[in-house]
Amino acid sequence: DAKTTQPPSMDCAEGRAANLPCNHSTISGNEYVYWYRQIHSQGPQYIIHGLKNNETNEMASLIITEDRKSSTLILPHATLRDTAVYYCIVRVYNTDKLIFGTGTRLQVFP
Amino acid sequence: DADVTQTPRNRITKTGKRIMLECSQTKGHDRMYWYRQDPGLGLRLIYYSFDVKDINKGEISDGYSVSRQAQAKFSLSLESAIPNQTALYFCATSDSGTAFGGYTFGSGTRLTVV
């Protein structure tokens, strides 16, 4: 599975969009990009995943560059409850395991 | 009730003791996983199971063993606990079907080995 690179921390004002970048320059054609988040010490929570098209759900949007070497998770209107560690993971669809890095710690401030 | 339940939530044990962490799920998923998280770090995979008869080692299986008693139950054992196994442990499940929606994690077990 390809490795990912994320900034260790980011800040965002409440109500603004939070844009979390992820670099995955060695991604293969059959590898998906997954995003999870972990609030405090709770179990990680699935957010979204995609292959090459942009994806949107009720939680977030995922923008994947055309060359698939990087992606951005967008929380359109960040709230204080979105303060968490966000993990970007790439892996072959429906294969055995997720490999977590250290993620980005997002702090949403009032 | 939670989809993925881990017991106990917190446990303090002594060095050398055997301890079992349990995980049960009501998701109907066939795949189950055990992860460990150390402070400030991401999760590392210990063991995973695709079905009752399929058990696989993850990144850091040394010092651990698992048992898949049923589709819904997957337990993790530390045969002889040591202090560097102090960590937060998570169980997770996933669906092998085509309607893949991600992993579901339990709330974690905080284990302290003294």
Side-chain angles (χ1 to χ4, degrees), chain B residues 5-16:
Chain B
T5 302
Q6 292 185 233
T7 56
R9 291 297 308 276
N10 292 282
R11 180 72 181 269
I12 300 173
T13 192
K14 293 183 177 180
T15 298

Side-chain angles (χ1 to χ4, degrees), chain B residues 39-112:
Chain B
L41 300 179
L43 283 72
R44 291 184 291 169
L45 183 65
I46 306 173
Y47 270 97
Y48 60 102
S49 169
F50 281 1
D51 62 39
V52 174
K53 298 180 181 179
D54 180 76
I55 304 290
N56 303 281
K57 293 183 177 181
E59 305 169 74
I60 53 165
S61 58
D62 288 347
Y64 302 94
S65 63
V66 291
S67 174
R68 185 82 183 266
Q69 303 94 324
Q71 187 200 33
K73 295 184 182 297
F74 192 36
S75 59
L76 176 72
S77 294
L78 288 67
E79 296 301 326
S80 179
I82 56 177
N84 75 2
Q85 291 178 312
T86 293
L88 188 54
Y89 290 84
F90 289 103
C91 174
T93 72
S94 71
D95 187 0
S96 62
T98 56
F100 179 71
Y103 284 32
T104 301
F105 282 82
S107 298
T109 294
R110 187 172 296 279
L111 176 66
T112 303

Side-chain angles (χ1 to χ4, degrees), chain A residues 37-45 81 83-85 87 100, chain B residues 6 9 37 43 88-91 105-110:
Chain A
R37 73 180 183 184
Q38 185 176 24
I39 296 173
H40 194 49
S41 295
Q42 299 175 18
Q45 177 189 24
R81 289 192 299 269
T83 292
V85 177
Y87 296 100
F100 286 79
Chain B
Q6 292 185 233
R9 291 297 308 276
Q37 186 172 34
L43 283 72
L88 188 54
Y89 290 84
F90 289 103
C91 174
F105 282 82
S107 298
T109 294
R110 187 172 296 279

Side-chain angles (χ1 to χ4, degrees), chain A residues 54-72:
Chain A
N54 298 336
E55 302 287 345
T56 296
N57 63 20
E58 65 277 5
M59 291 181 67
S61 294
L62 174 61
I63 308 298
I64 302 174
T65 58
E66 190 169 346
D67 63 7
R68 302 188 69 240
K69 293 183 184 298
S70 64
S71 60
T72 301

